[in-house]
C-alpha cells in the first residue's frame, strides 16, 4: 500500500494495531497459565476480554472507512511478545516469574498506548468523530491496564525480592537449621528400615 496522505497513514497504523491486538489475543492465554498470583491472573484474564472488544472496535472503524482490516504483521508487537514469552520459559521462582510477566505486559501496554494515542490524534484531524471516541475508549483501557499492573507490581516485586513462594527455599537456610532436618530425615529412614 502506498502511503500518500495522512489518511493512508491512519489506515496503515490502524492495521498495525489490529494485528497487534490479535497477537495479544493469541499470546495472553499462555501468559495467564504461567501466573502464580491469583490477582495477576484475573487482571490478565479481564484484559484479554477487553482486548477482544478492542479488536472489534477496530473492525468497526475499518467498516466505517470502507477499508480492509488485514495488513502487515506488527513486528514491534511480535518482538515484545517473543521476549516476554521467552523470559517466562526460564527456570525461576513463582514470584520472580510473576514479576517478569508484569514487566512483559507493561511493555505491551506502553506500546499500545503510543499507537492508540497517535491514531486517536489522526482521527481527530481527519474529522472521524466516531473513531475518535472508539480509539479514546481503547486508549483509556490500555492506560487503566498499565496502572493496574503497576499496582500489582508493588506487591509482587517486593515478594520476588524477598524470595517469597520460592521453590527450593531450604537452600537459603543456614547450616544450623538445615542440619537437624537432614538428620531427622535419616533417622526416619533408619526407623523405616528397622520396622
Ligand atoms: Fe489492546
Ligand atoms: Zn507495529
Ligand atoms: Fe492492552
Amino acid at each position: 500500500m502506498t502511503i500518500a496522505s495522512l489518511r493512508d497513514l491512519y489506515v496503515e497504523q490502524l492495521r498495525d494495531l489490529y494485528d497487534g491486538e490479535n497477537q495479544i489475543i493469541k499470546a495472553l492465554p499462555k501468559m495467564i497459565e504461567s501466573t502464580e498470583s491469583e490477582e495477576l491472573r484475573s487482571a490478565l484474564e479481564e484484559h484479554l476480554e477487553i482486548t477482544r472488544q478492542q479488536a472489534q472496535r477496530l473492525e468497526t472503524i475499518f467498516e466505517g472507512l470502507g477499508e480492509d482490516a488485514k495488513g502487515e504483521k506488527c513486528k514491534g508487537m511480535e518482538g515484545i511478545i517473543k521476549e516476554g514469552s521467552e523470559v517466562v520459559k526460564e527456570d525461576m521462582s513463582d514470584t520472580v516469574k510473576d514479576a517478569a510477566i508484569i514487566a512483559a505486559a507493561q511493555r505491551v501496554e506502553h506500546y499500545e498506548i503510543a499507537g492508540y494515542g497517535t491514531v486517536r490524534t489522526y482521527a481527530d484531524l481527519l474529522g472521524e468523530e466516531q473513531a475518535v471516541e472508539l480509539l479514546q475508549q481503547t486508549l483509556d483501557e490500555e492506560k487503566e491496564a498499565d496502572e493496574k499492573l503497576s499496582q500489582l507490581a508493588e506487591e509482587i516485586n517486593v515478594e520476588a525480592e524477598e524470595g517469597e513462594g520460592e521453590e527450593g527455599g531450604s537452600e537459603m537456610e543456614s547450616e544450623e537449621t538445615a542440619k537437624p532436618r537432614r538428620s531427622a530425615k535419616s533417622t526416619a529412614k533408619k526407623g523405616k528400615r528397622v520396622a
Side-chain angles (χ1 to χ4, degrees), residues 21 24 47 51 54 108-109 112 142 145:
E21 296 292 13
I24 295 164
H47 198 63
T51 302
Q54 294 173 340
V108 168
E109 295 315 319
E112 292 191 287
E142 308 294 25

Side-chain angles (χ1 to χ4, degrees), residues 12-24 47 54 58 72-83 102-120 135 138-139 141-143 145-147 149:
E12 190 270 341
Q13 296 273 313
L14 288 171
R15 284 179 177 148
D16 189 79
L17 284 165
Y18 184 65
D19 181 73
E21 296 292 13
N22 284 311
Q23 286 189 47
I24 295 164
H47 198 63
Q54 294 173 340
L58 288 169
E72 298 230 342
K73 178 152 226 146
C74 176
K75 296 191 190 80
M77 188 61 82
E78 188 179 32
I80 292 170
I81 288 174
K82 198 169 170 221
E83 278 190 3
I102 291 176
Q106 286 198 286
R107 274 184 167 77
V108 168
E109 295 315 319
H110 279 247
Y111 192 62
E112 292 191 287
I113 288 164
Y116 276 104
T118 299
V119 288
R120 189 270 332 268
L135 296 169
T138 296
L139 183 57
E141 287 167 355
E142 308 294 25
K143 285 180 181 167
D146 179 53
E147 275 162 30
L149 288 165

Side-chain angles (χ1 to χ4, degrees), residues 16-43:
D16 189 79
L17 284 165
Y18 184 65
D19 181 73
E21 296 292 13
N22 284 311
Q23 286 189 47
I24 295 164
I25 291 166
K26 263 196 219 153
L28 256 183
K30 270 184 209 148
M31 285 283 188
I32 290 167
E33 255 177 54
S34 308
T35 55
E36 191 53 38
S37 154
E38 204 56 58
E39 268 187 289
L40 177 59
R41 188 178 310 142
S42 66

